[in-house]
């Protein structure tokens, strides 16, 4: 029987730990650092995601068979390289391969070089050159900070004035700290977004079911961009060609391109895709499971996650199986998120819920659950269709009592109203 360590502390990691805990081959799941809400499925280990030495020591001491990395930051900092140097089994890309998410300039250059469909763009590290290019672009236009910015480093400017002010804020006034010292200026694409994830090892690509996230903070896609406010799977109203193109024109060619570049990818590759009038285009790549897409995908996945990862690590093909039901989940976030928010409100009523609840950012005070993260809880349900799953989720959410939480009320509507 195997022991697994999951790195991270959010809802995605709760879902990953929950899924590993169901494996017949897994005897114990640890999460570092985890959060108190995960104790139903895993033992939390008080180690930071940046503490590679501490994590390696723990893995050796406890004889952990597999380490699975949830978030992008340790991957971009080279956790996989550090583990592999000592022969420790870890699932996730190396630092070089994680650049696909860590640098938008790198990702765009790879897409250009290998003909992977994406928005037209130019990248800049010089403000004056960037401004001159920006002045010639049609509006709206999209500005992206090169580096990691927790899903918030993208500005869609509607007017020239807004575009120029945003460029200045990013490049001269460090709006996204160092992440914005280089920027990508790209064409605004219109269409419907979806997330196509796959397990990848070099040229082996095992696509998952598709999911749809809701990136804006408020109903009707209003408000600021967030890490994601809700998700559902499958996305039945998108045509088969959309999925086929995402796999054949985006994920597979990128996996092959990484091999050709001498930086093969191993881990979960996430294609943020848009179905446009001219076919599927890549919005972004992530180098790990999405959050909250993972919560709904793993609820739908019928296979043993530990077995799947073992197969992928040995480059053996696997067929994935997905439940027939729709799965839909809603994020409960602290008022103010994605900007500053108050921390520590007590959440009551959670024990009344009859749904799957993944903890994204909870703490504990005197035995009570508290809201400490930006995103706090993820409440998910299954239904014969999206409409039923949605109704069930919101009925369950109504039982939660906590004044400082807010959520969107329209998760899944794009799929329901088709
Ligand atoms: P990203 O961090 O690259 O996923 O961007 C965040 C969000 O901004 C995406 O989920 C899209 O909704 C939007 N976005 C990014 N790039 C574009 C684009 N070229 N055209 C239209 N919307 C975009
Ligand atoms: N939900 C989008 C992401 O994980 O980046």
């Amino acid at each position: 029987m195997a022991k697994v360590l999951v790195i991270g502390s959010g809802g995605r990691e709760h879902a990953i730990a929950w899924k590993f805990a169901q494996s017949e081959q897994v005897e114990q799941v640890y999460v570092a650092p985890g959060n108190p809400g995960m104790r139903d499925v895993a033992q939390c280990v008080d180690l930071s995601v940046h503490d590679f030495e501490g994590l390696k020591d723990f893995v050796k001491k406890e004889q952990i068979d597999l380490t699975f990395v949830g978030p992008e930051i340790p991957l971009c900092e080279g956790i996989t390289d550090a583990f592999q140097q000592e022969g420790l089994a870890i699932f996730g890309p190396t630092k070089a391969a994680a650049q696909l998410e860590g640098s938008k300039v790198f990702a765009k250059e790879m897409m250009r070089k290998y003909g992977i469909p994406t928005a037209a763009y130019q990248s800049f590290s010089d403000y004056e050159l960037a401004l001159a290019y920006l002045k010639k672009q049609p509006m709206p236009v999209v500005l992206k900070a090169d580096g990691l910015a927790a899903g918030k480093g993208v500005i869609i400017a509607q007017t020239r004035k807004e575009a120029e002010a945003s460029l200045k804020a990013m490049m001269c006034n460090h709006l996204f700290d160092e992440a914005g010292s280089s920027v990508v200026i790209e064409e605004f694409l219109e269409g419907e977004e979806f997330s196509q994830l796959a397990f990848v090892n070099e040229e082996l690509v095992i696509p998952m079911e598709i999911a749809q996230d809701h990136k804006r903070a408020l109903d009707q896609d209003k408000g600021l961009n967030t890490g994601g406010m809700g998700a559902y799977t499958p996305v039945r109203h998108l045509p088969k060609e959309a999925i086929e193109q995402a796999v054949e024109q985006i994920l597979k060619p990128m996996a092959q391109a990484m091999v050709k570049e001498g930086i093969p990818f191993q881990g979960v590759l996430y294609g943020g895709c848009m179905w446009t009038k001219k076919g599927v285009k890549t919005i972004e790549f992530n180098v790990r499971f999405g959050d909250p897409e993972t919560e709904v995908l793993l609820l739908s996945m019928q296979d043993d996650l530990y077995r799947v990862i073992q197969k992928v690590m040995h480059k053996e093909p696997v067929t994935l199986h997905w439940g027939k039901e729709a799965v839909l989940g809603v994020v409960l976030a602290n008022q103010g998120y994605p900007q500053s928010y108050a921390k520590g409100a007590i959440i009551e009523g959670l024990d009344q819920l009859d749904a799957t609840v993944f903890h994204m950012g909870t703490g504990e005070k005197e035995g009570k659950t508290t809201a400490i993260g930006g995103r706090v809880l993820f409440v998910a349900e299954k239904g014969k269709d999206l409409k039923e799953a949605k109704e069930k989720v919101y009925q369950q959410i109504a039982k939660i009592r906590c004044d400082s939480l807010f959520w969107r009320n329209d998760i899944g509507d794009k799929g329901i109203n088709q």
Side-chain angles (χ1 to χ4, degrees), residues 104 108 119 142 144 151-154 156 186-190 193 215-216 225 270 272 274 282-284 286:
K104 297 223 189 259
K108 294 294 283 191
V142 183
K144 297 188 172 183
K152 297 163 205 155
V154 173
I156 298 170
E186 76 177 25
E187 166 198 13
F188 176 77
L189 295 174
E190 266 178 289
E193 282 185 68
K215 299 238 169 158
R216 300 296 196 96
N225 259 321
Y270 167 130
M274 195 178 281
T282 317
I283 294 283
E284 62 166 349
N286 291 326

Side-chain angles (χ1 to χ4, degrees), residues 5 21 28 95 101-102 110 138 156 187 191 210 217 254 276 309 346:
L5 171 65
Q28 177 67 50
K95 184 174 180 171
E101 177 166 1
M110 286 290 288
I156 298 170
E187 166 198 13
I210 64 171
M254 184 51 86
T276 73
I309 302 292
I346 289 172

Side-chain angles (χ1 to χ4, degrees), residues 30-159:
Y30 298 92
V31 189
N35 72 48
M38 300 179 184
R39 284 195 215 120
D40 56 341
V41 291
Q43 191 175 321
C44 293
V45 185
D46 190 16
L47 288 169
S48 142
V49 304
H50 308 286
D51 181 6
F52 296 174
E53 291 307 316
L55 291 166
K56 281 190 294 184
D57 287 347
F58 178 79
V59 162
K60 286 182 218 161
K61 190 169 116 261
E62 294 296 330
Q63 299 185 317
I64 303 287
D65 300 277
L66 171 69
T67 299
F68 189 103
V69 190
E72 62 279 14
I73 291 177
L75 293 166
C76 292
E77 288 173 348
I79 192 169
T80 299
D81 311 62
F83 271 56
Q84 285 176 346
Q85 273 156 20
E86 299 194 29
L88 303 172
I90 185 162
F91 194 69
T94 58
K95 184 174 180 171
Q99 285 181 90
L100 263 187
E101 177 166 1
S103 166
K104 297 223 189 259
V105 174
F106 173 84
K108 294 294 283 191
E109 279 170 2
M110 286 290 288
M111 287 187 261
R112 182 178 275 166
K113 182 166 173 187
Y114 289 93
I116 294 170
T118 189
Y121 80 103
Q122 283 295 334
S123 57
F124 299 93
S125 52
D126 180 282
Y127 171 68
E128 295 300 332
L129 291 177
L131 184 62
Y133 176 81
L134 186 65
K135 283 183 189 291
K136 288 185 250 142
Q137 299 314 303
M139 295 295 123
V141 71
V142 183
L143 306 177
K144 297 188 172 183
D146 176 47
L148 291 179
K152 297 163 205 155
V154 173
I155 293 174
I156 298 170
Q158 301 295 336
T159 63

Side-chain angles (χ1 to χ4, degrees), residues 88-378:
L88 303 172
I90 185 162
F91 194 69
T94 58
K95 184 174 180 171
Q99 285 181 90
L100 263 187
E101 177 166 1
S103 166
K104 297 223 189 259
V105 174
F106 173 84
K108 294 294 283 191
E109 279 170 2
M110 286 290 288
M111 287 187 261
R112 182 178 275 166
K113 182 166 173 187
Y114 289 93
I116 294 170
T118 189
Y121 80 103
Q122 283 295 334
S123 57
F124 299 93
S125 52
D126 180 282
Y127 171 68
E128 295 300 332
L129 291 177
L131 184 62
Y133 176 81
L134 186 65
K135 283 183 189 291
K136 288 185 250 142
Q137 299 314 303
M139 295 295 123
V141 71
V142 183
L143 306 177
K144 297 188 172 183
D146 176 47
L148 291 179
K152 297 163 205 155
V154 173
I155 293 174
I156 298 170
Q158 301 295 336
T159 63
R160 238 158 245 296
K161 202 172 148 205
E162 190 188 344
E164 290 178 20
S166 302
L167 184 74
K168 194 166 182 191
M170 278 163 110
M171 296 193 82
C172 308
N173 302 333
H174 307 288
L175 175 64
F176 302 118
D177 299 322
E178 279 314 293
S181 58
S182 293
V183 297
V184 168
I185 300 179
E186 76 177 25
E187 166 198 13
F188 176 77
L189 295 174
E190 266 178 289
E192 187 158 353
E193 282 185 68
F194 63 99
S195 308
Q196 172 74 69
L197 284 72
F199 296 104
V200 173
N201 191 357
E202 302 199 350
E203 295 200 8
L204 177 70
V205 175
I206 316 276
M208 300 185 210
E209 181 56 90
I210 64 171
Q212 203 163 47
D213 188 8
H214 298 66
K215 299 238 169 158
R216 300 296 196 96
L218 308 174
D219 285 8
Q220 268 96 48
D221 290 336
K222 302 234 161 67
L224 295 171
N225 259 321
T226 69
M229 294 298 291
Y232 66 90
T233 185
V235 189
R236 294 208 197 282
H237 62 280
L238 283 173
K240 270 209 179 83
E241 301 101 274
I243 303 174
E244 224 168 77
Q245 288 179 21
V247 173
E248 300 300 330
Q249 298 179 17
I250 295 176
L251 291 180
K252 286 187 180 169
M254 184 51 86
Q256 286 158 10
M258 295 296 277
V259 172
K260 284 198 192 104
E261 293 289 313
I263 42 173
F265 189 96
Q266 181 218 239
V268 173
L269 184 59
Y270 167 130
C273 303
M274 195 178 281
W275 177 235
T276 73
K277 289 202 176 103
K278 293 183 186 161
V280 172
K281 306 265 182 179
T282 317
I283 294 283
E284 62 166 349
F285 282 103
N286 291 326
V287 299
R288 36 91 195 160
F289 262 127
D291 192 356
E293 290 94 327
T294 306
E295 288 89 317
V296 290
L297 286 171
L298 293 183
L299 270 164
S300 179
M301 188 175 147
Q302 306 293 299
D303 310 277
D304 177 326
L305 181 62
Y306 186 78
R307 207 177 136 262
V308 170
I309 302 292
Q310 290 301 320
K311 290 231 174 205
V312 172
M313 287 178 87
H314 290 98
K315 296 209 195 94
E316 290 169 30
V318 213
T319 308
L320 299 176
H321 303 86
W322 304 92
K324 290 200 173 62
E325 291 177 299
V327 187
L328 183 144
V330 175
V331 172
L332 278 58
N334 254 321
Q335 297 278 2
Y337 172 78
Q339 291 174 311
S340 63
Y341 50 86
K343 290 183 187 176
I346 289 172
I347 306 168
E348 287 182 296
L350 274 181
D351 52 347
Q352 311 290 312
L353 262 64
D354 193 17
T356 305
V357 178
F358 291 123
H359 288 239
M360 306 185 91
T362 59
E364 225 174 33
K365 199 166 120 194
E366 291 154 13
K368 293 194 167 159
T369 304
T370 57
I372 61 166
R375 295 188 293 176
V376 178
L377 292 167
F378 187 79

